[in-house]
Amino acid sequence: MTYNEAISYLYDRLPVFHRVGVSAYKPGLTNVLALCEALGNPQHQFRSIHVAGTNGKGSTSHLLASIYQLAGYRVGLYTSPHLKSFTERIRLGGLPIPEADVAQFVRNHRPLIETIEPSFFEVTVAMAFDFFAREQVDLAIVEVGLGGRLDSTNIITPMASVITNIGWDHVEVLGDTLPKIAAEKSGIIKPNVPVVIGESQSETSPVFTAIAEANQSPIVFADQQWHLADSGLANGVRKVLCYHLHTDEQPVTVDLPLTGLYQLANLKTVLATVEVIQSAYPVHQKALVDGCRLVTAQTGLKGRFQWLQQRPIVIADTAHNKPGIEALLATVQTIPHRALRLVIGFVRDKDVLAVLALLPTNAIYYFCQADSPRALPVDELVSLAGSVGLAGVGYADVNLALAAASQEADPDDFILITGSTYVVAEVNSL
């Protein structure tokens, strides 16, 4: 079985969330536990940091991986979804899992897969944990897929449980109030394992505190530990001064290539997490600073306010829900430009109208759809956008829309590609 055959098998046989949405979601740990039991329970053979949250968990995971790599540790990284290649989901030392390992895993365990009938995500988690155990990683950074309590990754007992923030997303699965969503994501909290919460919120902080206390888990709110002063953009990085609120230490200066303003909250979460497990996994300041500065080179992170061109500015960002789009637009407003041109598409199972209502009516729109069964058809998107006063032209795919925006743009314009991870993934120049 070749790599391409293995990937085709996984896509064709198993329910895949990024293709069909919630119908592919199999809540509960029964399948992944059965898979891992047959593999010798690899989830118990490495140490980890578990990262959940509505937004920012991917960036947070990549930053942590980069820092611990620069500190000299052998680091595994599990994230989802991927942008270009399935192998991006499972990394060792920043490098994607070899295609041969993927093919071998599927070939060796095909009878097991066909007996258990797991989802695509469940198989991927088992593959990642098996890979990390065989490669004897010092530390694995494991990003939650959806929620927390019933997510397939939630069979590890980590060194720290991290929850970046809580916002409105996947309400049909996680709950229709922020406290309900927080409770689901708090399911990654384990007895006596320290908890890092990225952002204090009046509706959700009591939920986290109560669950942490019930588990006798020390809890830290990152925004109550660190103050970050943004010194602005220069030479493609955002320079940030990081002040610890409870020590007299000199501030740490970080050059962050992830230039979205929303990354400041993620950076606080990262700093607090490193501090919480410092005694078990020491990190010197140089590794911390270099890990942040080199995160994209070290871990292959893409699609987070990623600069594709300078004149006109072309930025790709995977923001896809209301809090993500709000944070993205806040950064856009800080960058001087003439006209804003949005290349945008969505998946159909998001609250698209709520997101469209956030968008500026004076921007120029190039609507598109991803090559996915979940994609909102572009004709429907044009109609929905029109209902909230956004006018634009529809295109069959993102690259046609981007070509049209580039052709019509002035050198001082700003072209923003966003709305869906799957739209960004299909940008040829990414």
Side-chain angles (χ1 to χ4, degrees):
M1 178 180 281
T2 66
Y3 168 75
N4 288 333
E5 289 169 342
I7 294 300
S8 294
Y9 171 81
L10 294 177
Y11 280 148
D12 294 343
R13 180 172 180 86
L14 308 178
V16 181
F17 189 93
H18 75 260
R19 289 191 172 186
V20 300
V22 171
S23 63
Y25 177 59
K26 293 191 175 185
L29 306 179
T30 302
N31 284 347
V32 73
L33 283 170
L35 284 169
C36 286
E37 174 74 24
L39 297 171
N41 287 315
Q43 73 275 19
H44 302 320
Q45 298 172 35
F46 56 86
R47 289 178 159 186
S48 59
I49 298 173
H50 206 185
V51 184
T54 299
N55 290 307
K57 57 185 181 290
S59 296
T60 298
S61 296
H62 280 261
L63 282 164
L64 286 168
S66 182
I67 288 166
Y68 286 108
Q69 284 168 216
L70 266 293
Y73 298 103
R74 187 170 175 82
V75 180
L77 174 62
Y78 176 76
T79 58
S80 63
H82 62 269
L83 289 176
K84 296 295 187 181
S85 169
F86 171 87
T87 60
E88 297 168 23
R89 294 171 178 248
I90 305 168
R91 293 179 181 268
L92 175 64
L95 299 176
I97 183 173
E99 292 183 354
D101 286 53
V102 176
Q104 183 177 20
F105 182 90
V106 176
R107 180 172 60 249
N108 290 350
H109 302 296
R110 183 169 175 171
L112 177 66
I113 292 168
E114 293 179 2
T115 298
I116 295 174
E117 297 186 339
S119 69
F120 175 92
F121 188 79
E122 288 167 333
V123 170
T124 306
V125 168
M127 184 189 301
F129 291 176
D130 179 69
F131 182 67
F132 295 155
R134 286 189 291 105
E135 292 291 340
Q136 298 181 314
V137 300
D138 297 319
L139 186 65
I141 315 300
V142 178
E143 179 194 6
V144 167
L146 193 158
R149 181 175 64 95
L150 300 177
D151 186 76
S152 300
T153 62
N154 200 28
I155 60 172
I156 55 176
T157 300
M159 302 294 295
S161 302
V162 180
I163 303 173
T164 57
N165 54 47
I166 299 297
W168 297 103
D169 204 7
H170 300 299
V171 295
E172 71 281 12
V173 175
L174 303 180
D176 57 2
T177 69
L178 292 181
K180 286 180 181 178
I181 296 171
E184 284 297 312
K185 293 185 185 292
S186 294
I188 70 166
I189 295 174
K190 303 293 194 304
N192 303 305
V193 173
V195 182
V196 177
I197 306 298
E199 297 178 29
S200 305
Q201 296 168 277
S202 59
E203 290 184 75
T204 61
S205 293
V207 175
F208 295 135
T209 300
I211 294 175
E213 287 179 353
N215 282 277
Q216 296 184 304
S217 301
I219 186 168
V220 167
F221 289 86
D223 56 0
Q224 297 174 19
Q225 298 293 115
W226 289 90
H227 170 71
L228 271 53
D230 173 29
S231 298
L233 294 174
N235 301 316
V237 299
R238 187 172 293 281
K239 191 173 289 290
V240 184
L241 289 176
C242 308
Y243 298 84
H244 198 289
L245 294 173
H246 304 293
T247 71
D248 295 327
E249 295 177 8
Q250 290 297 307
V252 179
T253 301
V254 170
D255 290 338
L256 199 59
L258 309 178
T259 53
L261 280 172
Y262 55 84
Q263 296 291 357
L264 299 185
N266 295 332
L267 181 55
K268 289 181 187 178
T269 306
V270 167
L271 292 169
T273 304
V274 169
E275 185 178 25
V276 159
I277 65 167
Q278 179 73 6
S279 60
Y281 286 87
V283 172
H284 295 296
Q285 187 176 115
K286 185 177 189 307
L288 177 70
V289 171
D290 288 349
C292 292
R293 179 173 56 85
L294 298 172
V295 59
T296 53
Q298 285 275 112
T299 68
L301 181 61
K302 293 184 176 182
R304 275 63 169 190
F305 211 79
Q306 183 175 347
W307 290 71
L308 303 180
Q309 189 175 303
Q310 294 288 341
R311 285 182 61 82
I313 296 169
V314 180
I315 298 286
D317 193 284
T318 56
H320 55 273
N321 53 35
K322 188 176 178 181
I325 293 290
E326 286 176 327
L328 172 60
L329 292 175
T331 302
V332 170
Q333 291 168 5
T334 68
I335 298 175
H337 58 272
R338 193 185 70 94
L340 176 61
R341 300 176 184 270
L342 266 79
V343 175
I344 194 164
F346 299 93
V347 292
R348 63 168 68 247
D349 48 12
K350 298 292 183 182
D351 188 355
V352 175
L353 265 178
V355 174
L356 289 171
L358 300 173
L359 302 178
T361 56
N362 61 346
I364 303 162
Y365 289 88
Y366 304 79
F367 300 109
C368 62
Q369 69 183 75
D371 181 18
S372 166
R374 281 181 72 200
L376 179 66
V378 68
D379 292 344
E380 291 184 34
L381 177 53
V382 170
S383 177
L384 282 172
S387 72
V388 293
L390 306 179
V393 177
Y395 296 85
D397 68 62
V398 61
N399 291 296
L400 289 173
L402 178 56
S406 299
Q407 186 174 11
E408 296 172 7
D410 181 89
D412 294 324
D413 285 355
F414 192 131
I415 300 173
L416 177 63
I417 310 160
T418 193
S420 166
T421 299
Y422 312 115
V423 165
V424 170
E426 292 176 12
V427 175
N428 289 336
S429 57
L430 191 73

